[in-house]
Amino acid sequence: MRVFHIGGDYPFTPLYRQLLVSLESDRDLCQTMYVPLPIGTQNYRNNDLETAQSSVIYSQDYSKLDRFTLRRKVGKIAASIIRQVDVPTFDIIHTHYLFSNGGAAQLLSARTGIPYISAVRNTDVNLYLRLGLPFQRYGYEIMRDASAVVFLSPAYRDHVLGLVKRWDPGGEVRAKSHVIPNGIHQSWLDNTGAVRDRVDANAVRIIYIGGLTRNKNIERTILALRPLRASGLNASLTIIGKGPQEEHLRKLAAKCGEAVTFIPFTSDRDKLRGYMAEADVFVMASHTETFGLVYIESLSQGLPIVWTRGEGIDGYFPDGDVGYGVNPRSLPEIVDAVAKVAQHRQALSDRAVSAAKDFSWSEVASRYHQLYRRLTGLTPVAVPAGSETLAEVDR
């Protein structure tokens, strides 16, 4: 089976490379990643992925001005692919964004008859779909013509399908929708954290890891410390990251004395695991979040989590299973969620490590293998034991 991927963000995040490498576990699968980029973009090369099964094509297809006329940009990408790639030799097209990439896949499929899968990600939801009815209708048309639509979380699936319901009253898109998450690096699962058994029941150590931006809503996590302390909990916060709000957050945290510690950003997983081992709960109540791998990385270390209701990983876990969802604008809800973690931390931590195992890249690749083969009519491969947990969210 030959899979043609379209992924404009491939050079900028390791997620796509990890997916391609994991998909190579199917020896009968060959794949090409096509990366459409603006004219004048750095000439990327990723030779370490050039294998007998996988290859990457970088192409400068459109100008930066074309981003303001989406259909023109989509048309240029599709035309460039047709010039460079023998598309009819592929069995399926897998596009990693709905609009630019998915729109190109729609044109290619109409020309060749090859089925396509379109993923829906943060830019689609929090940029294009917010631009109003014309963009929502265009997004619906791309999903309508796709053979399958993939969402990273149940929350984003329900949100997007709600936006396009006026054109899809019969639920045609929902019927072919699948929830398949991103995976976490295998090192997190190979080095899971010890289940917590805290001696001091009145202390709760909060940790945040990520960008220091307004969207991450770190201010309310800082502001939650005072009411938590007033309730009798010795609450503290460790912030690991960098970003434009750092100075503002430091000034706000200064009012809390020694309760807030800032640590420079690091991508060293060993160091991050060490910091997580000294915490009781990971809190990231972002305003918007596509998925948030750091939630799952935290779970792998036995850390209960507090996440945003209706965003990111919401829908994967019931409240009280591995943590709690909150309204990011509600300080009382954040305070209450942290307090409940402190009260039930042992049971939450017990379930956290087990829950993280469902988010391995091998598990994610298995889900895609099944989907590819179902859509192309090829013989399905066996589903590994344990995959039922993730499959539940498709229903």
Side-chain angles (χ1 to χ4, degrees), residues 15 25 32 52 54 73 84 99 104 108 119 169 217 229 241 251 277 287 314 323 357 365 370 375 381 384:
L15 293 177
S25 62
T32 295
S54 300
K73 175 184 174 182
Q84 300 180 70
F99 281 93
L108 295 173
N217 196 31
R229 287 175 160 186
K251 290 179 180 178
H287 292 297
D314 192 42
K357 294 176 182 177
Q370 294 293 312
L375 296 178
V381 294

Side-chain angles (χ1 to χ4, degrees), residues 198-205 228-236 280 338-339 342-343 345:
R198 298 303 182 201
V199 176
D200 186 356
N202 293 321
V204 59
R205 296 172 293 183
L228 284 167
R229 287 175 160 186
S231 72
L233 282 171
N234 182 17
S236 61
D280 298 301
V338 173
Q343 183 180 359
R345 73 187 82 194

